[in-house]
Every structure is written in C-alpha cells, then in structure tokens.
Amino acid sequence: MTENKNPFLKPYNTPHDTAPFHLIKIEHYEPALLEGMKEQNEEIDAIVNNPETPTFQNTIVALEKSGALLDRVTTVFGNLMSAETSDEMQELAEKMMPVLSEHSNNISLNEKLFARIKAVYENPGNLDKEQKKLLEETYKDFVRGGANLDAESQKKLRELNSEISMLQLTFGQNMQKETNAFQLIVDKEEDLAGLPQNLIASAAETAKEAGMEGKWIFTLHNPSVMPFLQYADNRDLREKIFKGYINRGNNGNEYDNKEVVRKLLKARLEKAKLMGYENYAS
C-alpha cells in the first residue's frame, strides 16, 4: 500500500487535522499499523543508541514524541471499533491485538531504554513543573510496566499482557454483539407517550430499514436507549429495555461474558501479584 493510496501515511490536510473518514478503508489499517510500529521501533532505537548522556530532551521528550503514526492509526481504529464496527474490523482486531501488545511490551521492557529513563529520573536537572510531571509519569509507567522485574517474571508478564488484551477485546466484542442484537419493537402509538418527536422519528426509520414500516424499533445504542429510559411513560417498556441493557453479556448465549470476566479477573490478579501489588486495583 503506497503512501499515495493510504490516507494514514500522508498529511490529512483537513480542518483541525481530523481524520478523513471518507477515505479510510479496512485495507488501510494493517499496513498503517505495521508501518507505525516500524517507525516507532526506529525512534526507540535512536533514543537507546544515542551516545550522548541521557537528558530530559533526548530521552523523555524523544520518547513522548515517538509513535505519532501508530497513535494516529490506533485512535481512529479504536474509536470506530466502538462506534461503527464490522466483522472485518473485528477479525483485524483479533489479528493485530497480539502484535500491538507485543510491540508495547517490547518498549516497556526495553532494558537500555529504561536505563536512560532511570538516569534522567535520578538526575533530572532543572525542570519546570510540567516537565517534572512528565518525567515522573514516564518513569512510573515503565516501573508498572515491569521494567524492574527479572527476566523470568518479564516473560510471564508478556504472556499475561497478551492474554488480558485478548480477553478485553472479546469482552467488548460480546457487548457490542449483544447491543446490536436487541430490539424493542413498539407497534402501538400510545406506547410512545412521553418520547420526544426526534426519537420517535428515528425509531420509525430504524423499523423501516428493518422491513417493519409502521412500527418503531428502539435499540440498546445510547442515542436510543438513554432517552427512552428518561422520557417514556410506559413503565413496562422502560423495564424491558433497561433489563436488556444491563444484561448484555449475561444471557447464557454465545456472547455470554461471565467466563471471560472470570478469566480476566484471574489474569489481572496474577499480574498484580507479579508486580508486587495485593490486587489489580492497587
């Protein structure tokens, strides 16, 4: 995928540098993600191999500025995964999540990089308040990312991080599929009492698109469920859509999240113990 064809790999040239969503296609993500990781690896190598004494500018600021392309792509991909996903995006997320997790681990567990960060942390020089905060947060992130662990513990941490990232992805996918599957179908106009006209019109359009013209369909997507709960006079229908909302991932079907949550809690607790904390919240 050449730079001319991939909107991620060239300046957006849009108002406020917003993403050109109309140009972005599913095939653009993977090459842009791979290129973003490649660029950041080169930037990290430049920091690590800098022969100069570690300073705030050549280490902390350089690290903070690294990964610009990767951040650009993951921001768009992550937001669209939540707002306007597809089966293709879900498949790509499953493919790329382990790769992205390993990339993150390679940075946070980079021994030479952490040595430079630690050197600046121990001899910060004359920094202003904002610079001190960035330095402290950077050092803390690396420590909590396992930089001080021994080799065997770091290997285990990598495994746990990969497992946790996939479990979180599965949890989100199940929630999304449950959200998309629910429909509250209203066929009596009196059951719309209390609802604002724009919500009624939207529900009518949703029903029309589903081949149910003349009815109204309300969903578990926030623009539909939240105003319905707030304004609908019909208590029974409010209860039905509320229970649908709170029971996403808890219906004993293929999208049930109870086992996912159990595994996630176990992995997070194991990670916390490995890092020397009593629990994940700590």
Side-chain angles (χ1 to χ4, degrees), residues 47 52-63 112-127 131-132 134-136 138-139:
I47 296 171
E52 298 177 5
T53 301
T55 66
F56 180 81
Q57 288 296 327
N58 70 22
T59 300
I60 306 303
V61 173
L63 175 61
K112 293 181 179 179
L113 178 61
F114 180 61
R116 291 185 67 91
I117 294 170
K118 188 175 182 180
V120 179
Y121 183 76
E122 293 176 346
N123 297 282
N126 187 24
L127 303 179
Q131 291 171 330
K132 287 179 181 178
L134 176 59
L135 174 58
E136 290 169 1
T138 302
Y139 179 78

PDB file of all heavy atoms in Angstrom, residues 47 52-63 112-127 131-132 134-136 138-139:
ATOM      1  N   ILE A  47      16.858   6.573  20.306  1.00  0.00           N
ATOM      2  CA  ILE A  47      16.994   7.025  21.699  1.00  0.00           C
ATOM      3  C   ILE A  47      18.003   6.147  22.435  1.00  0.00           C
ATOM      4  O   ILE A  47      18.925   6.638  23.099  1.00  0.00           O
ATOM      5  CB  ILE A  47      15.636   6.975  22.423  1.00  0.00           C
ATOM      6  CG1 ILE A  47      14.646   7.944  21.779  1.00  0.00           C
ATOM      7  CG2 ILE A  47      15.810   7.320  23.916  1.00  0.00           C
ATOM      8  CD1 ILE A  47      13.222   7.795  22.286  1.00  0.00           C
ATOM      9  N   GLU A  52      25.059  10.334  23.515  1.00  0.00           N
ATOM     10  CA  GLU A  52      25.084  11.428  24.478  1.00  0.00           C
ATOM     11  C   GLU A  52      24.498  10.995  25.824  1.00  0.00           C
ATOM     12  O   GLU A  52      23.713  10.051  25.903  1.00  0.00           O
ATOM     13  CB  GLU A  52      24.302  12.630  23.935  1.00  0.00           C
ATOM     14  CG  GLU A  52      24.864  13.209  22.655  1.00  0.00           C
ATOM     15  CD  GLU A  52      24.002  14.359  22.131  1.00  0.00           C
ATOM     16  OE1 GLU A  52      23.038  14.743  22.821  1.00  0.00           O
ATOM     17  OE2 GLU A  52      24.306  14.860  21.032  1.00  0.00           O
ATOM     18  N   THR A  53      24.902  11.690  26.878  1.00  0.00           N
ATOM     19  CA  THR A  53      24.360  11.423  28.206  1.00  0.00           C
ATOM     20  C   THR A  53      22.844  11.609  28.193  1.00  0.00           C
ATOM     21  O   THR A  53      22.349  12.569  27.592  1.00  0.00           O
ATOM     22  CB  THR A  53      24.981  12.389  29.233  1.00  0.00           C
ATOM     23  OG1 THR A  53      26.390  12.210  29.224  1.00  0.00           O
ATOM     24  CG2 THR A  53      24.433  12.141  30.626  1.00  0.00           C
ATOM     25  N   PRO A  54      22.095  10.695  28.815  1.00  0.00           N
ATOM     26  CA  PRO A  54      20.637  10.839  28.836  1.00  0.00           C
ATOM     27  C   PRO A  54      20.195  12.161  29.464  1.00  0.00           C
ATOM     28  O   PRO A  54      20.671  12.530  30.539  1.00  0.00           O
ATOM     29  CB  PRO A  54      20.181   9.652  29.692  1.00  0.00           C
ATOM     30  CG  PRO A  54      21.285   8.663  29.594  1.00  0.00           C
ATOM     31  CD  PRO A  54      22.547   9.462  29.490  1.00  0.00           C
ATOM     32  N   THR A  55      19.299  12.863  28.779  1.00  0.00           N
ATOM     33  CA  THR A  55      18.730  14.107  29.289  1.00  0.00           C
ATOM     34  C   THR A  55      17.220  14.070  29.123  1.00  0.00           C
ATOM     35  O   THR A  55      16.665  13.176  28.450  1.00  0.00           O
ATOM     36  CB  THR A  55      19.270  15.330  28.523  1.00  0.00           C
ATOM     37  OG1 THR A  55      18.810  15.259  27.157  1.00  0.00           O
ATOM     38  CG2 THR A  55      20.786  15.376  28.551  1.00  0.00           C
ATOM     39  N   PHE A  56      16.570  15.037  29.709  1.00  0.00           N
ATOM     40  CA  PHE A  56      15.120  15.124  29.569  1.00  0.00           C
ATOM     41  C   PHE A  56      14.727  15.235  28.099  1.00  0.00           C
ATOM     42  O   PHE A  56      13.787  14.588  27.641  1.00  0.00           O
ATOM     43  CB  PHE A  56      14.585  16.325  30.371  1.00  0.00           C
ATOM     44  CG  PHE A  56      13.097  16.480  30.281  1.00  0.00           C
ATOM     45  CD1 PHE A  56      12.249  15.720  31.066  1.00  0.00           C
ATOM     46  CD2 PHE A  56      12.536  17.405  29.397  1.00  0.00           C
ATOM     47  CE1 PHE A  56      10.868  15.858  30.975  1.00  0.00           C
ATOM     48  CE2 PHE A  56      11.165  17.551  29.301  1.00  0.00           C
ATOM     49  CZ  PHE A  56      10.328  16.785  30.094  1.00  0.00           C
ATOM     50  N   GLN A  57      15.458  16.051  27.336  1.00  0.00           N
ATOM     51  CA  GLN A  57      15.115  16.289  25.935  1.00  0.00           C
ATOM     52  C   GLN A  57      15.400  15.070  25.056  1.00  0.00           C
ATOM     53  O   GLN A  57      14.551  14.657  24.260  1.00  0.00           O
ATOM     54  CB  GLN A  57      15.877  17.506  25.402  1.00  0.00           C
ATOM     55  CG  GLN A  57      15.379  18.829  25.933  1.00  0.00           C
ATOM     56  CD  GLN A  57      13.959  19.139  25.516  1.00  0.00           C
ATOM     57  OE1 GLN A  57      13.529  18.762  24.420  1.00  0.00           O
ATOM     58  NE2 GLN A  57      13.216  19.828  26.382  1.00  0.00           N
ATOM     59  N   ASN A  58      16.607  14.496  25.184  1.00  0.00           N
ATOM     60  CA  ASN A  58      16.969  13.434  24.247  1.00  0.00           C
ATOM     61  C   ASN A  58      16.417  12.060  24.634  1.00  0.00           C
ATOM     62  O   ASN A  58      16.581  11.094  23.886  1.00  0.00           O
ATOM     63  CB  ASN A  58      18.487  13.372  24.028  1.00  0.00           C
ATOM     64  CG  ASN A  58      19.260  12.868  25.250  1.00  0.00           C
ATOM     65  OD1 ASN A  58      18.736  12.195  26.129  1.00  0.00           O
ATOM     66  ND2 ASN A  58      20.553  13.219  25.290  1.00  0.00           N
ATOM     67  N   THR A  59      15.782  11.968  25.799  1.00  0.00           N
ATOM     68  CA  THR A  59      15.217  10.683  26.225  1.00  0.00           C
ATOM     69  C   THR A  59      13.717  10.786  26.485  1.00  0.00           C
ATOM     70  O   THR A  59      12.922  10.126  25.817  1.00  0.00           O
ATOM     71  CB  THR A  59      15.936  10.166  27.481  1.00  0.00           C
ATOM     72  OG1 THR A  59      17.328   9.983  27.188  1.00  0.00           O
ATOM     73  CG2 THR A  59      15.354   8.827  27.920  1.00  0.00           C
ATOM     74  N   ILE A  60      13.316  11.607  27.441  1.00  0.00           N
ATOM     75  CA  ILE A  60      11.899  11.678  27.836  1.00  0.00           C
ATOM     76  C   ILE A  60      11.058  12.328  26.744  1.00  0.00           C
ATOM     77  O   ILE A  60      10.015  11.789  26.338  1.00  0.00           O
ATOM     78  CB  ILE A  60      11.733  12.436  29.160  1.00  0.00           C
ATOM     79  CG1 ILE A  60      12.631  11.822  30.248  1.00  0.00           C
ATOM     80  CG2 ILE A  60      10.275  12.417  29.593  1.00  0.00           C
ATOM     81  CD1 ILE A  60      12.404  10.360  30.502  1.00  0.00           C
ATOM     82  N   VAL A  61      11.509  13.485  26.248  1.00  0.00           N
ATOM     83  CA  VAL A  61      10.755  14.167  25.191  1.00  0.00           C
ATOM     84  C   VAL A  61      10.768  13.342  23.906  1.00  0.00           C
ATOM     85  O   VAL A  61       9.746  13.217  23.220  1.00  0.00           O
ATOM     86  CB  VAL A  61      11.330  15.579  24.933  1.00  0.00           C
ATOM     87  CG1 VAL A  61      10.662  16.214  23.715  1.00  0.00           C
ATOM     88  CG2 VAL A  61      11.129  16.454  26.159  1.00  0.00           C
ATOM     89  N   ALA A  62      11.916  12.772  23.588  1.00  0.00           N
ATOM     90  CA  ALA A  62      12.016  11.946  22.378  1.00  0.00           C
ATOM     91  C   ALA A  62      11.072  10.751  22.450  1.00  0.00           C
ATOM     92  O   ALA A  62      10.422  10.393  21.455  1.00  0.00           O
ATOM     93  CB  ALA A  62      13.456  11.483  22.186  1.00  0.00           C
ATOM     94  N   LEU A  63      10.987  10.134  23.626  1.00  0.00           N
ATOM     95  CA  LEU A  63      10.073   9.011  23.809  1.00  0.00           C
ATOM     96  C   LEU A  63       8.627   9.474  23.705  1.00  0.00           C
ATOM     97  O   LEU A  63       7.796   8.813  23.064  1.00  0.00           O
ATOM     98  CB  LEU A  63      10.316   8.354  25.172  1.00  0.00           C
ATOM     99  CG  LEU A  63       9.350   7.223  25.561  1.00  0.00           C
ATOM    100  CD1 LEU A  63       9.436   6.070  24.564  1.00  0.00           C
ATOM    101  CD2 LEU A  63       9.646   6.732  26.983  1.00  0.00           C
ATOM    102  N   LYS A 112      17.648  -1.146  27.949  1.00  0.00           N
ATOM    103  CA  LYS A 112      18.500   0.014  27.691  1.00  0.00           C
ATOM    104  C   LYS A 112      17.700   1.315  27.722  1.00  0.00           C
ATOM    105  O   LYS A 112      18.187   2.345  28.200  1.00  0.00           O
ATOM    106  CB  LYS A 112      19.192  -0.138  26.338  1.00  0.00           C
ATOM    107  CG  LYS A 112      20.215  -1.272  26.295  1.00  0.00           C
ATOM    108  CD  LYS A 112      20.888  -1.346  24.926  1.00  0.00           C
ATOM    109  CE  LYS A 112      21.929  -2.457  24.895  1.00  0.00           C
ATOM    110  NZ  LYS A 112      22.584  -2.553  23.544  1.00  0.00           N
ATOM    111  N   LEU A 113      16.481   1.267  27.223  1.00  0.00           N
ATOM    112  CA  LEU A 113      15.621   2.457  27.255  1.00  0.00           C
ATOM    113  C   LEU A 113      15.296   2.840  28.694  1.00  0.00           C
ATOM    114  O   LEU A 113      15.375   4.016  29.070  1.00  0.00           O
ATOM    115  CB  LEU A 113      14.337   2.192  26.467  1.00  0.00           C
ATOM    116  CG  LEU A 113      13.310   3.326  26.452  1.00  0.00           C
ATOM    117  CD1 LEU A 113      13.897   4.579  25.821  1.00  0.00           C
ATOM    118  CD2 LEU A 113      12.048   2.885  25.696  1.00  0.00           C
ATOM    119  N   PHE A 114      14.966   1.848  29.502  1.00  0.00           N
ATOM    120  CA  PHE A 114      14.638   2.132  30.898  1.00  0.00           C
ATOM    121  C   PHE A 114      15.858   2.660  31.650  1.00  0.00           C
ATOM    122  O   PHE A 114      15.732   3.524  32.533  1.00  0.00           O
ATOM    123  CB  PHE A 114      14.107   0.880  31.596  1.00  0.00           C
ATOM    124  CG  PHE A 114      13.751   1.106  33.044  1.00  0.00           C
ATOM    125  CD1 PHE A 114      12.779   2.027  33.401  1.00  0.00           C
ATOM    126  CD2 PHE A 114      14.402   0.399  34.053  1.00  0.00           C
ATOM    127  CE1 PHE A 114      12.453   2.248  34.734  1.00  0.00           C
ATOM    128  CE2 PHE A 114      14.080   0.613  35.381  1.00  0.00           C
ATOM    129  CZ  PHE A 114      13.105   1.539  35.722  1.00  0.00           C
ATOM    130  N   ALA A 115      17.042   2.175  31.286  1.00  0.00           N
ATOM    131  CA  ALA A 115      18.260   2.659  31.940  1.00  0.00           C
ATOM    132  C   ALA A 115      18.437   4.151  31.690  1.00  0.00           C
ATOM    133  O   ALA A 115      18.842   4.908  32.598  1.00  0.00           O
ATOM    134  CB  ALA A 115      19.469   1.876  31.426  1.00  0.00           C
ATOM    135  N   ARG A 116      18.128   4.605  30.493  1.00  0.00           N
ATOM    136  CA  ARG A 116      18.224   6.036  30.184  1.00  0.00           C
ATOM    137  C   ARG A 116      17.151   6.825  30.940  1.00  0.00           C
ATOM    138  O   ARG A 116      17.419   7.912  31.469  1.00  0.00           O
ATOM    139  CB  ARG A 116      18.099   6.266  28.674  1.00  0.00           C
ATOM    140  CG  ARG A 116      19.289   5.751  27.865  1.00  0.00           C
ATOM    141  CD  ARG A 116      19.158   6.123  26.388  1.00  0.00           C
ATOM    142  NE  ARG A 116      19.251   7.570  26.175  1.00  0.00           N
ATOM    143  CZ  ARG A 116      20.386   8.221  25.919  1.00  0.00           C
ATOM    144  NH1 ARG A 116      21.536   7.551  25.848  1.00  0.00           N
ATOM    145  NH2 ARG A 116      20.381   9.520  25.726  1.00  0.00           N
ATOM    146  N   ILE A 117      15.946   6.292  30.970  1.00  0.00           N
ATOM    147  CA  ILE A 117      14.857   6.965  31.696  1.00  0.00           C
ATOM    148  C   ILE A 117      15.207   7.070  33.180  1.00  0.00           C
ATOM    149  O   ILE A 117      15.025   8.128  33.804  1.00  0.00           O
ATOM    150  CB  ILE A 117      13.535   6.192  31.508  1.00  0.00           C
ATOM    151  CG1 ILE A 117      13.094   6.262  30.046  1.00  0.00           C
ATOM    152  CG2 ILE A 117      12.444   6.737  32.432  1.00  0.00           C
ATOM    153  CD1 ILE A 117      11.947   5.338  29.702  1.00  0.00           C
ATOM    154  N   LYS A 118      15.739   5.988  33.727  1.00  0.00           N
ATOM    155  CA  LYS A 118      16.106   5.975  35.141  1.00  0.00           C
ATOM    156  C   LYS A 118      17.223   6.972  35.426  1.00  0.00           C
ATOM    157  O   LYS A 118      17.231   7.644  36.472  1.00  0.00           O
ATOM    158  CB  LYS A 118      16.532   4.560  35.550  1.00  0.00           C
ATOM    159  CG  LYS A 118      16.746   4.388  37.046  1.00  0.00           C
ATOM    160  CD  LYS A 118      17.037   2.920  37.373  1.00  0.00           C
ATOM    161  CE  LYS A 118      17.207   2.737  38.879  1.00  0.00           C
ATOM    162  NZ  LYS A 118      17.488   1.314  39.219  1.00  0.00           N
ATOM    163  N   ALA A 119      18.164   7.085  34.501  1.00  0.00           N
ATOM    164  CA  ALA A 119      19.277   8.023  34.670  1.00  0.00           C
ATOM    165  C   ALA A 119      18.758   9.459  34.739  1.00  0.00           C
ATOM    166  O   ALA A 119      19.223  10.266  35.560  1.00  0.00           O
ATOM    167  CB  ALA A 119      20.278   7.868  33.524  1.00  0.00           C
ATOM    168  N   VAL A 120      17.799   9.787  33.897  1.00  0.00           N
ATOM    169  CA  VAL A 120      17.211  11.135  33.924  1.00  0.00           C
ATOM    170  C   VAL A 120      16.392  11.320  35.194  1.00  0.00           C
ATOM    171  O   VAL A 120      16.421  12.383  35.824  1.00  0.00           O
ATOM    172  CB  VAL A 120      16.328  11.368  32.678  1.00  0.00           C
ATOM    173  CG1 VAL A 120      15.708  12.768  32.719  1.00  0.00           C
ATOM    174  CG2 VAL A 120      17.136  11.188  31.396  1.00  0.00           C
ATOM    175  N   TYR A 121      15.686  10.284  35.585  1.00  0.00           N
ATOM    176  CA  TYR A 121      14.846  10.345  36.792  1.00  0.00           C
ATOM    177  C   TYR A 121      15.691  10.613  38.035  1.00  0.00           C
ATOM    178  O   TYR A 121      15.286  11.366  38.936  1.00  0.00           O
ATOM    179  CB  TYR A 121      14.085   9.028  36.935  1.00  0.00           C
ATOM    180  CG  TYR A 121      13.122   8.980  38.106  1.00  0.00           C
ATOM    181  CD1 TYR A 121      11.899   9.644  38.063  1.00  0.00           C
ATOM    182  CD2 TYR A 121      13.447   8.254  39.253  1.00  0.00           C
ATOM    183  CE1 TYR A 121      11.017   9.591  39.142  1.00  0.00           C
ATOM    184  CE2 TYR A 121      12.568   8.194  40.330  1.00  0.00           C
ATOM    185  CZ  TYR A 121      11.364   8.865  40.260  1.00  0.00           C
ATOM    186  OH  TYR A 121      10.495   8.806  41.329  1.00  0.00           O
ATOM    187  N   GLU A 122      16.868  10.002  38.086  1.00  0.00           N
ATOM    188  CA  GLU A 122      17.748  10.164  39.253  1.00  0.00           C
ATOM    189  C   GLU A 122      18.547  11.458  39.200  1.00  0.00           C
ATOM    190  O   GLU A 122      18.987  11.962  40.234  1.00  0.00           O
ATOM    191  CB  GLU A 122      18.680   8.951  39.351  1.00  0.00           C
ATOM    192  CG  GLU A 122      17.939   7.659  39.681  1.00  0.00           C
ATOM    193  CD  GLU A 122      18.846   6.437  39.676  1.00  0.00           C
ATOM    194  OE1 GLU A 122      19.981   6.554  39.151  1.00  0.00           O
ATOM    195  OE2 GLU A 122      18.412   5.372  40.167  1.00  0.00           O
ATOM    196  N   ASN A 123      18.726  12.006  37.993  1.00  0.00           N
ATOM    197  CA  ASN A 123      19.444  13.288  37.838  1.00  0.00           C
ATOM    198  C   ASN A 123      18.662  14.167  36.858  1.00  0.00           C
ATOM    199  O   ASN A 123      19.089  14.377  35.718  1.00  0.00           O
ATOM    200  CB  ASN A 123      20.868  13.044  37.326  1.00  0.00           C
ATOM    201  CG  ASN A 123      21.701  12.246  38.304  1.00  0.00           C
ATOM    202  OD1 ASN A 123      22.196  12.777  39.291  1.00  0.00           O
ATOM    203  ND2 ASN A 123      21.869  10.955  38.008  1.00  0.00           N
ATOM    204  N   PRO A 124      17.524  14.695  37.296  1.00  0.00           N
ATOM    205  CA  PRO A 124      16.628  15.396  36.376  1.00  0.00           C
ATOM    206  C   PRO A 124      17.127  16.751  35.896  1.00  0.00           C
ATOM    207  O   PRO A 124      16.708  17.225  34.839  1.00  0.00           O
ATOM    208  CB  PRO A 124      15.347  15.556  37.194  1.00  0.00           C
ATOM    209  CG  PRO A 124      15.808  15.533  38.615  1.00  0.00           C
ATOM    210  CD  PRO A 124      16.973  14.594  38.649  1.00  0.00           C
ATOM    211  N   GLY A 125      17.974  17.401  36.653  1.00  0.00           N
ATOM    212  CA  GLY A 125      18.397  18.742  36.266  1.00  0.00           C
ATOM    213  C   GLY A 125      17.328  19.768  36.585  1.00  0.00           C
ATOM    214  O   GLY A 125      16.421  19.526  37.393  1.00  0.00           O
ATOM    215  N   ASN A 126      17.405  20.896  35.946  1.00  0.00           N
ATOM    216  CA  ASN A 126      16.477  21.994  36.221  1.00  0.00           C
ATOM    217  C   ASN A 126      15.247  21.883  35.329  1.00  0.00           C
ATOM    218  O   ASN A 126      15.249  22.305  34.176  1.00  0.00           O
ATOM    219  CB  ASN A 126      17.176  23.338  35.997  1.00  0.00           C
ATOM    220  CG  ASN A 126      16.311  24.501  36.420  1.00  0.00           C
ATOM    221  OD1 ASN A 126      15.414  24.342  37.251  1.00  0.00           O
ATOM    222  ND2 ASN A 126      16.559  25.665  35.852  1.00  0.00           N
ATOM    223  N   LEU A 127      14.160  21.332  35.861  1.00  0.00           N
ATOM    224  CA  LEU A 127      12.930  21.133  35.095  1.00  0.00           C
ATOM    225  C   LEU A 127      11.798  21.965  35.684  1.00  0.00           C
ATOM    226  O   LEU A 127      11.756  22.205  36.896  1.00  0.00           O
ATOM    227  CB  LEU A 127      12.514  19.654  35.105  1.00  0.00           C
ATOM    228  CG  LEU A 127      13.533  18.630  34.583  1.00  0.00           C
ATOM    229  CD1 LEU A 127      12.960  17.222  34.702  1.00  0.00           C
ATOM    230  CD2 LEU A 127      13.936  18.932  33.151  1.00  0.00           C
ATOM    231  N   GLN A 131       7.412  19.523  33.162  1.00  0.00           N
ATOM    232  CA  GLN A 131       8.453  18.572  32.780  1.00  0.00           C
ATOM    233  C   GLN A 131       8.674  17.528  33.871  1.00  0.00           C
ATOM    234  O   GLN A 131       8.856  16.339  33.580  1.00  0.00           O
ATOM    235  CB  GLN A 131       9.751  19.329  32.480  1.00  0.00           C
ATOM    236  CG  GLN A 131       9.693  20.179  31.221  1.00  0.00           C
ATOM    237  CD  GLN A 131      10.906  21.078  31.066  1.00  0.00           C
ATOM    238  OE1 GLN A 131      11.506  21.509  32.060  1.00  0.00           O
ATOM    239  NE2 GLN A 131      11.280  21.370  29.827  1.00  0.00           N
ATOM    240  N   LYS A 132       8.656  17.979  35.123  1.00  0.00           N
ATOM    241  CA  LYS A 132       8.805  17.039  36.247  1.00  0.00           C
ATOM    242  C   LYS A 132       7.674  16.011  36.240  1.00  0.00           C
ATOM    243  O   LYS A 132       7.892  14.830  36.496  1.00  0.00           O
ATOM    244  CB  LYS A 132       8.822  17.802  37.567  1.00  0.00           C
ATOM    245  CG  LYS A 132      10.102  18.583  37.829  1.00  0.00           C
ATOM    246  CD  LYS A 132      10.006  19.327  39.157  1.00  0.00           C
ATOM    247  CE  LYS A 132      11.279  20.132  39.420  1.00  0.00           C
ATOM    248  NZ  LYS A 132      11.184  20.912  40.683  1.00  0.00           N
ATOM    249  N   LEU A 134       5.872  14.972  33.657  1.00  0.00           N
ATOM    250  CA  LEU A 134       6.064  14.030  32.551  1.00  0.00           C
ATOM    251  C   LEU A 134       7.143  13.010  32.895  1.00  0.00           C
ATOM    252  O   LEU A 134       6.976  11.809  32.639  1.00  0.00           O
ATOM    253  CB  LEU A 134       6.433  14.778  31.272  1.00  0.00           C
ATOM    254  CG  LEU A 134       6.756  13.902  30.053  1.00  0.00           C
ATOM    255  CD1 LEU A 134       5.578  13.001  29.693  1.00  0.00           C
ATOM    256  CD2 LEU A 134       7.150  14.770  28.856  1.00  0.00           C
ATOM    257  N   LEU A 135       8.227  13.469  33.493  1.00  0.00           N
ATOM    258  CA  LEU A 135       9.306  12.561  33.872  1.00  0.00           C
ATOM    259  C   LEU A 135       8.825  11.532  34.889  1.00  0.00           C
ATOM    260  O   LEU A 135       9.084  10.333  34.753  1.00  0.00           O
ATOM    261  CB  LEU A 135      10.483  13.356  34.447  1.00  0.00           C
ATOM    262  CG  LEU A 135      11.643  12.544  35.021  1.00  0.00           C
ATOM    263  CD1 LEU A 135      12.227  11.597  33.971  1.00  0.00           C
ATOM    264  CD2 LEU A 135      12.726  13.480  35.572  1.00  0.00           C
ATOM    265  N   GLU A 136       8.109  11.991  35.901  1.00  0.00           N
ATOM    266  CA  GLU A 136       7.600  11.092  36.941  1.00  0.00           C
ATOM    267  C   GLU A 136       6.635  10.060  36.368  1.00  0.00           C
ATOM    268  O   GLU A 136       6.703   8.875  36.699  1.00  0.00           O
ATOM    269  CB  GLU A 136       6.911  11.907  38.041  1.00  0.00           C
ATOM    270  CG  GLU A 136       7.875  12.728  38.883  1.00  0.00           C
ATOM    271  CD  GLU A 136       7.152  13.726  39.782  1.00  0.00           C
ATOM    272  OE1 GLU A 136       5.885  13.738  39.749  1.00  0.00           O
ATOM    273  OE2 GLU A 136       7.828  14.485  40.493  1.00  0.00           O
ATOM    274  N   THR A 138       6.407   9.040  33.234  1.00  0.00           N
ATOM    275  CA  THR A 138       7.124   8.139  32.328  1.00  0.00           C
ATOM    276  C   THR A 138       7.846   7.052  33.113  1.00  0.00           C
ATOM    277  O   THR A 138       7.752   5.861  32.790  1.00  0.00           O
ATOM    278  CB  THR A 138       8.136   8.915  31.466  1.00  0.00           C
ATOM    279  OG1 THR A 138       7.449   9.929  30.715  1.00  0.00           O
ATOM    280  CG2 THR A 138       8.865   7.987  30.505  1.00  0.00           C
ATOM    281  N   TYR A 139       8.561   7.465  34.157  1.00  0.00           N
ATOM    282  CA  TYR A 139       9.281   6.501  34.993  1.00  0.00           C
ATOM    283  C   TYR A 139       8.301   5.526  35.646  1.00  0.00           C
ATOM    284  O   TYR A 139       8.520   4.309  35.640  1.00  0.00           O
ATOM    285  CB  TYR A 139      10.090   7.239  36.053  1.00  0.00           C
ATOM    286  CG  TYR A 139      10.856   6.317  36.988  1.00  0.00           C
ATOM    287  CD1 TYR A 139      12.048   5.722  36.578  1.00  0.00           C
ATOM    288  CD2 TYR A 139      10.383   6.036  38.270  1.00  0.00           C
ATOM    289  CE1 TYR A 139      12.747   4.858  37.414  1.00  0.00           C
ATOM    290  CE2 TYR A 139      11.075   5.187  39.113  1.00  0.00           C
ATOM    291  CZ  TYR A 139      12.252   4.593  38.686  1.00  0.00           C
ATOM    292  OH  TYR A 139      12.943   3.744  39.526  1.00  0.00           O
TER     293      TYR A 139
END
